[in-house]
Amino acid sequence: MQNFVFHNPTKILFGKNTVPSIGNETVAFGNKVLLVYGNGSIKHNGIYDQVIQSLQDVGATISEHAGVQSNPILSHVHQGIKIAKENSCEVVCAVGGGSVIDEAKAICAGVPVQHDVWKFFTGKKSVKNPLPLTTVLTLAASGSEMNSGMVVTNDATLQKFGFANKHLFPKTSILDPACTFSVPADYTAYGAIDAVAHVLEFYFTTTEPYTPVQDRLMEGLVINAIESCNRVLEDPFNYSARAALMWTATLALNGLTGAGLGKIGFPMHMIEHSLSAFYNVPHGAGLSAVIPGWMRTQVKLHPKRFAQFAERVFNKYEGTVGETAYQGVAALTAWFEEVKAPTSLTSLKVPDSDIPGIAENAMALAKVWRMRDYSEEKITEILLECR
Ligand code: NZQ
Ligand code: ZN
């Protein structure tokens, strides 16, 4: 096991009727609040009213920045920074899914500086004393509610880049599974797929030879994501299934799974971000279109690892190690199909002629993420396998 520092400062309030706590949790950092949210789901499901009431009850002055789109864009981040500066906001409160929380993190980072916030995403500047952030999570997927990462698309250059900074962990996140009752079946599935992908990125790219603690934690998270997603798709108002899915997604990308694994890569996300940037596909749908192809290019290189995944997650024991390894890829792909997620570029209607442009775009992110084992040719080879 490699040396590691595990320090996750985010306070989590999990469970029923936790949303009314957001007021106190937010004004602990300041009374002038920037409330960030999306395109209206929280107004339909009543979360907006609860949050406003809670903030007003504790005397907060609220400025609103609504309209965050799925796969958030830089120009909208700039608008949020402007509103926050004009109203001298002291704290940001994000109410939504990963897109809302990520845009809020970028706003927190951008308010105290004069330069373009995009410089953080290209590694040209580092974050210094960002505004504090609190969140109410409404979609189980990204893990942004308990991590220091964020992903934004530069809508001028069509680059969807992500970065992390230890100052950008949310101070407090409210996780009430009932807030996700209104998430439709497709985004429920995409969220579960995103959580599975977060685990697979660590599981299949670590080079540490013996990681039993992390392996069984990760295998358990994948099993839970699949099982709880299936239960939610049967009954969207199943609280315990929504709770299991929510906590699984948070644990899948809060630093715990990667502790001790040493250097890992994020190849599936590196490629998917280009699909979301070019075609604005939901993040989880882009991942389910990329993962099977990426796995097929890797399984022959690491048959034992893939066979362990097949055995422990899907109980597959078919003949040789190589045969079992392929069974795991097939079983995961079959689950994507079962939850009606795309499993190829063709199912996303991405033409072969776009592949060179996607590879070039993804390579730019691979460079920022210092993924030296990836070249444009290698990415093209993976994309061809994803057709
Ligand atoms: O516009 P709103 O009202 O927010 O509607 C959203 C959006 O249309 C809707 N929704 C959210 N909660 C709902 C709901 N609809 C009904 N009921 C609710 N309770 O769902 C749609 C998708 O929301 P979005 O926030 O985009 O989804 P998700 O949470 O999957 O976030 C995706 C974003 O997270 C980034 C992705 O790149 C993508 O931009 N990621 C962030 C990461 C991080 N910070 O660590 C890591 C991830 O790998 C991921 O890259
Ligand atoms: Zn993701």
Side-chain angles (χ1 to χ4, degrees):
M1 197 181 298
Q2 292 279 326
N3 286 14
F4 65 89
V5 173
F6 179 67
H7 177 214
N8 189 313
T10 302
K11 175 180 168 186
I12 298 287
L13 275 63
F14 191 100
K16 292 179 182 140
N17 307 317
T18 45
V19 174
S21 304
I22 191 64
N24 275 323
E25 294 297 328
T26 302
V27 295
F29 301 99
N31 261 11
K32 293 180 188 149
V33 180
L34 179 75
L35 179 64
V36 180
Y37 58 94
N39 283 306
S41 66
I42 63 168
K43 293 204 168 167
H44 299 311
N45 58 24
I47 298 168
Y48 173 84
D49 293 341
Q50 284 188 67
V51 169
I52 291 289
Q53 186 64 56
S54 176
L55 288 168
Q56 285 173 342
D57 286 351
V58 290
T61 310
I62 306 165
S63 308
E64 296 197 10
H65 175 56
V68 175
Q69 68 176 59
S70 195
N71 296 320
I73 55 175
L74 181 63
S75 55
H76 201 252
V77 171
H78 288 151
Q79 289 169 30
I81 292 168
K82 187 164 173 292
I83 296 169
K85 285 185 175 176
E86 284 165 356
N87 294 281
S88 318
C89 293
E90 300 158 302
V91 53
V92 177
C93 178
V95 183
S99 292
V100 168
I101 298 172
D102 281 8
E103 176 157 334
K105 286 179 184 175
I107 292 167
C108 289
V111 168
V113 298
Q114 299 316 315
H115 63 71
D116 188 340
V117 66
W118 187 247
K119 289 194 172 164
F120 294 133
F121 289 85
T122 54
K124 293 203 174 61
K125 290 278 184 185
S126 57
V127 174
K128 287 193 189 60
N129 49 49
L131 291 189
L133 171 69
T134 60
T135 86
V136 175
L137 181 69
T138 67
L139 199 164
S142 67
S144 192
E145 64 278 8
M146 196 179 184
N147 72 34
S148 60
M150 76 225 72
V151 183
V152 166
T153 299
N154 183 327
D155 34 330
T157 63
L158 281 190
Q159 290 173 313
K160 183 178 169 85
F161 283 8
F163 81 100
N165 179 284
K166 65 180 180 184
H167 301 300
L168 283 168
F169 281 95
K171 300 296 181 191
T172 301
S173 284
I174 306 262
L175 275 60
D176 177 349
C179 290
T180 64
F181 281 159
S182 50
V183 177
D186 54 354
Y187 274 94
T188 296
Y190 298 153
I193 290 164
D194 195 13
V196 167
H198 295 151
V199 172
L200 302 188
E201 298 279 21
F202 291 94
Y203 192 88
F204 286 119
T205 64
T206 181
T207 52
E208 265 305 285
Y210 181 58
T211 52
V213 178
Q214 298 86 346
D215 287 3
R216 289 191 171 83
L217 176 64
M218 291 191 279
E219 289 148 4
L221 288 172
V222 174
I223 292 168
N224 277 313
I226 292 172
E227 186 183 285
S228 52
C229 176
N230 291 346
R231 287 175 65 204
V232 167
L233 294 179
E234 276 163 26
D235 172 11
F237 297 97
N238 180 329
Y239 179 86
S240 58
R242 288 283 190 187
L245 183 56
M246 186 176 240
W247 193 227
T248 296
T250 302
L251 292 175
L253 200 60
N254 76 344
L256 196 58
T257 54
L261 292 185
K263 189 171 169 355
I264 56 106
F266 245 57
M268 297 167 243
H269 277 73
M270 176 261 287
I271 295 172
E272 191 292 318
H273 283 180
S274 295
L275 298 181
S276 289
F278 279 12
Y279 311 104
N280 200 20
V281 290
H283 176 57
L287 285 165
S288 61
V290 165
I291 290 170
W294 180 85
M295 289 177 93
R296 288 195 294 271
T297 65
Q298 300 297 310
V299 62
K300 40 187 179 282
L301 306 173
H302 311 286
K304 274 181 71 188
R305 190 68 173 162
F306 277 79
Q308 176 178 307
F309 178 75
E311 288 163 9
R312 292 191 185 169
V313 174
F314 293 109
N315 287 320
K316 294 289 179 189
Y317 298 87
E318 315 261 339
T320 66
V321 166
E323 285 158 351
T324 301
Y326 274 96
Q327 291 294 323
V329 181
L332 185 64
T333 308
W335 179 65
F336 289 160
E337 285 160 354
E338 198 186 302
V339 298
K340 299 187 178 49
T343 54
S344 67
L345 296 183
T346 312
S347 52
L348 283 181
K349 299 191 180 32
V350 173
D352 285 4
S353 53
D354 284 4
I355 286 181
I358 299 169
E360 187 190 4
N361 184 278
M363 190 61 217
L365 181 54
K367 281 197 184 108
V368 173
W369 282 358
R370 296 198 181 91
M371 295 174 73
R372 292 188 179 77
D373 48 341
Y374 277 81
S375 64
E376 216 166 301
E377 294 68 37
K378 184 171 176 182
I379 296 170
T380 304
E381 188 197 304
I382 293 167
L383 287 165
L384 290 171
E385 182 59 44
C386 294
R387 280 181 296 177

